[in-house]
Amino acid sequence: MGKRALITGITGQDGSFLAELLIDKGYEVHGVMRRSSTFTTERIEHLYRDIHEPDARLKLHYGDLTDASSLRRVITLAQPDEVYNLAAQSHVRTSFDQPIYTAETVAIGALNLLEAIRDYRDSTGREIRIYQASSSEMYGNARECPQSESTPFSPRSPYACAKVHAFWQTINYRDAYGLFACNGVLFNHESPRRGETFVSRKITRAATRIKLGLQKTLYLGNLDAKRDWGYAGDYVEAMWLMLQQHDPDDYVVATGQCHSVRDFLNETFAYLDLDWQDHIEVDPRYFRPTEVHELRGDASKARNLLGWKPRLRFRGLVRMMVDHDAKMAEQEKTLVDAGLATTQMSHEWH
Ligand code: NAP
Ligand code: F7E
């Protein structure tokens, strides 16, 4: 019988790529999703089969990281061999507006899950391996660049502080209770499935709409920030590899190259034969009370021990996202021209 995996955050960007990868590898995949007044399953719809069909290998359960009882119930139902904790309020800027909710989901949520897994292991004798989605944001404005597993943390947002809590709880459950628990310290990773309020997707969505006359201006915050941007499809492989090792450990996952938001604008708009300076305005509402200026990861350990390396680089990533969003913009234009849609979008939230 194949392995079973449980993914929290399965409706998010990484959850969808990881579900795809695990189903391809023959896993039965269980996902935790929140109840919402609208459907949030767009990113995993292509993987879903009616659960009555014999080949259905994706099973969804209602649950929430802040509701410990729901996690216990889902673990008992799914009986997973591996759990990937990807659920989070993952937006750094939003974490300044909702610090307590962010901490409840990211920090206490991870602890709820670790406790549920420990109790399940103790009562059934079944081992569960766990992956914790840690983040390069934990480094903040670290003195060292590039940042590696030995770089001290210096979190600069409620999100990063909560991720540091979850990171150390994961290590403590490994040391104190012998759980096979790993942290993947992942640097920014993007894709056409990236949420539209993160800067990469905000830029590729807007640029492709500007190209077709659906939008004139894009408002952004700090254009000088530098990030190490990789491709989400590559990064979920590293998550899986961590749980296939003999011993649990923590790994940085990154491309080793960093670019500014300005570089991202240049690459995107030039590909569309546009000049970004004609369309961008800086709006301080997108500034963060404390900013992380430069992140660049050193993924030597993942390369040497996991045999992992990124396949897609910056230019290829930008072009993949632009090509995808150009099609979306064309569909939107067709609807607008037919009088079936308006061009209003809630840009002030981005
Ligand atoms: P994402 O697209 O924002 O997805 C987050 C997922 O978490 C969604 O499925 C969301 O459900 C779910 N979620 C939020 N709050 C929840 C709660 N209280 N209970 C249960 N589920 C909840 O994030 P992502 O980019 O895929 O990132 C995956 C994980 O990696 C996150 O933990 C993030 O913090 C971390 N991370 C991401 C990056 C990156 O660059 N992408 C880098 C380092 C670490 P809904 O669909 O209902 O909103
Ligand atoms: O910002 C600057 C912003 O929101 C990147 C999450 O997945 O990666 C992500 O966090 C940079 C920042 O990602 C806008 O100030 C300028 O310096 O795309 P972002 P993030 O904050 O790096 C880490 C690794 C995670 O763990 C997180 O979950 O871009 N920026 N103007 C802007 N950012 C946004 N969102 N919107 C702007 O208008």
Side-chain angles (χ1 to χ4, degrees), residues 274-293:
L274 295 169
D275 182 347
W276 66 269
Q277 309 207 49
D278 297 336
H279 303 282
I280 300 301
E281 283 191 29
V282 170
D283 182 340
R285 88 165 64 187
Y286 300 115
F287 292 162
R288 293 155 190 208
T290 37
E291 173 67 292
V292 171
H293 299 298

Side-chain angles (χ1 to χ4, degrees), residues 11-14 34 64-65 86 88 90 159 163 186 189 194:
T11 56
Q13 171 187 253
D14 292 6
R34 300 190 285 180
D64 194 301
L65 275 194
L86 308 186
S90 72
Y159 167 80
K163 283 285 182 189
L186 270 53
H189 45 279
R194 185 57 142 154

Side-chain angles (χ1 to χ4, degrees), residues 112-123:
N112 284 335
L113 191 60
L114 287 163
E115 272 289 272
I117 290 172
R118 175 166 80 102
D119 287 349
Y120 178 81
R121 191 268 318 262
D122 289 350
S123 62

